Amino acid sequence: MNHRKNTSFYVEALLLTLFFFCMTAILVCMFAAARKESILARSLTQSQQIAQNVSAAFYGTSSPQDFWQAMGTPPDETPSACLTVNANGEECANGEYILTLMLDVSSCENGLGQMAQLSLSIRHTSDETELFSDCFMRYLPQ
Amino acid sequence: MKHQKASPITYVFPMVLFTLLLCCILVLVVLGSNVYQTLTEQQQQNNSSRIVLRYLSSAVHSADRENAVQIRPGPQGDALILIDHAAGYETRIYVMDQVLMEEVSTLGSDFSPQNAQSVGSCTEFEPWFSTPQLLCIKTNEGTVKTALHTLQGGSQ
């Protein structure tokens, strides 16, 4: 009789332990997911700020050369740049984000001025996830 | 009546189980509190940077007229001046005692921080014109760049 009681106690304890471990695993997964989401939210906020600054530099400069200069990249013949930037959008060797810019300038059909199109993409350096991408256009008078 | 002697495992097993569960609960509580602390800190950082940077950006956009955006020396460092020529008053934004202040005053009058309203906490405030149409403002919450529609002749 006593042996039966002990066995049922052990079985119940084992089941309880298993249930508890399952709950622990679920909670740990939830905590990890919450932390990951929080880090992603921070990255999205920062990447949105970087994109806003880049677009402001694009619209606030009068020529492609001025734009590249404002971005801290020496103007050359290549229309694209891949920069490692920090949260402020400043070029930094150990920055958290990779900013890819592609500037395409084409002459208007009527020969008056040019159309500039800037494609922008922001990725995280750690996992290469694309956080933000957009395209901006503006008219450059002659 | 014969009293049966209990084996040591009868006492040891529940104690081990109890300790194990206690350790798990402790780990969960520590982990949960750490995650909660991280979440709230990052949320506060996001909110704080959004408040300051969006406020500056929208204030400049709303005053984006010819010679309406200027930079002048303020009480503590440079101040951003947004001028409404038609109404005859100007809005001054500057940092005073680690607080971002907004002061609305008549054109050309002296700074009067006692009449200013606080916008939020800000330890660094450095505005400059990168080009005549690109205003940059560096704060401790980040840098915000604003493209202006008009050339600003009053930039320093």
Side-chain angles (χ1 to χ4, degrees):
Chain A
M1 187 72 182
N2 201 15
H3 177 70
R4 272 188 195 169
K5 271 185 186 173
N6 274 346
T7 310
S8 54
F9 168 74
Y10 288 141
V11 168
E12 194 180 328
L14 193 70
L15 287 174
L16 191 72
T17 312
L18 281 173
F19 175 75
F20 187 78
F21 282 152
C22 286
M23 288 304 293
T24 306
I26 290 167
L27 284 174
V28 167
C29 285
M30 279 173 65
F31 289 156
R35 197 183 172 89
K36 201 177 166 185
E37 285 294 314
S38 168
I39 291 167
L40 182 66
R42 181 84 184 134
S43 298
L44 286 172
T45 303
Q46 289 180 338
S47 60
Q48 186 267 333
Q49 187 58 42
I50 293 168
Q52 187 190 328
N53 285 347
V54 172
S55 70
F58 178 59
Y59 291 112
T61 49
S62 52
S63 69
Q65 287 78 19
D66 286 348
F67 168 71
W68 288 121
Q69 206 162 8
M71 292 309 301
T73 316
D76 55 15
E77 294 302 312
T78 52
S80 63
C82 192
L83 312 168
T84 306
V85 295
N86 61 13
N88 287 329
E90 295 156 352
E91 197 171 4
C92 178
N94 51 359
E96 296 168 62
Y97 302 96
I98 298 169
L99 174 65
T100 310
L101 299 168
M102 189 171 282
L103 184 62
D104 180 36
V105 182
S106 57
S107 297
C108 293
E109 285 179 6
N110 55 12
L112 297 172
Q114 294 173 309
M115 283 303 293
Q117 181 177 313
L118 176 72
S119 303
L120 172 153
S121 166
I122 300 169
R123 284 173 290 136
H124 209 277
T125 46
S126 60
D127 53 4
E128 299 270 320
T129 314
E130 187 172 73
L131 298 164
F132 189 92
S133 70
D134 209 340
C135 197
F136 306 97
M137 287 185 83
R138 70 170 294 198
Y139 172 70
L140 297 170
Q142 276 185 325
Chain B
M1 191 170 163
K2 191 182 175 186
H3 182 71
Q4 229 179 359
K5 196 182 174 186
S7 68
I9 198 161
T10 316
Y11 303 107
V12 172
F13 181 72
M15 286 307 291
V16 168
L17 194 66
F18 178 71
T19 313
L20 200 68
L21 295 183
L22 205 67
C23 286
C24 279
I25 289 168
L26 212 68
V27 167
L28 275 180
V29 168
V30 170
L31 205 69
S33 63
N34 274 341
V35 168
Y36 183 74
Q37 192 183 4
T38 310
L39 289 181
T40 48
E41 275 176 6
Q42 289 194 337
Q43 196 177 12
Q44 275 178 352
Q45 279 178 354
N46 279 347
N47 290 343
S48 172
S49 68
R50 277 199 193 124
I51 287 168
V52 172
L53 300 180
R54 290 296 161 275
Y55 162 73
L56 291 170
S57 177
S58 55
V60 173
H61 276 303
S62 65
D64 187 5
R65 284 177 289 275
E66 194 177 359
N67 287 334
V69 182
Q70 297 185 3
I71 298 166
R72 283 191 223 143
Q76 290 175 5
D78 282 339
L80 181 69
I81 315 291
L82 308 171
I83 303 170
D84 189 337
H85 290 288
Y89 70 86
E90 60 189 28
T91 305
R92 299 147 177 179
I93 300 168
Y94 52 87
V95 162
M96 183 93 179
D97 300 330
Q98 302 195 338
V99 177
L100 188 69
M101 310 291 268
E102 183 192 68
E103 179 191 332
V104 181
S105 189
T106 50
L107 285 175
S109 60
D110 291 334
F111 283 90
S112 50
Q114 68 275 10
N115 297 329
Q117 286 186 324
S118 72
V119 176
S121 161
C122 184
T123 53
E124 191 185 357
F125 182 77
E126 190 188 337
W128 78 97
F129 282 97
S130 182
T131 70
Q133 276 186 276
L134 183 60
L135 175 71
C136 303
I137 305 167
K138 188 178 183 181
T139 70
N140 57 307
E141 300 292 351
T143 304
V144 62
K145 292 180 182 175
T146 311
L148 303 168
H149 294 111
T150 51
L151 293 171
Q152 300 302 319
S155 58
Q156 290 184 339

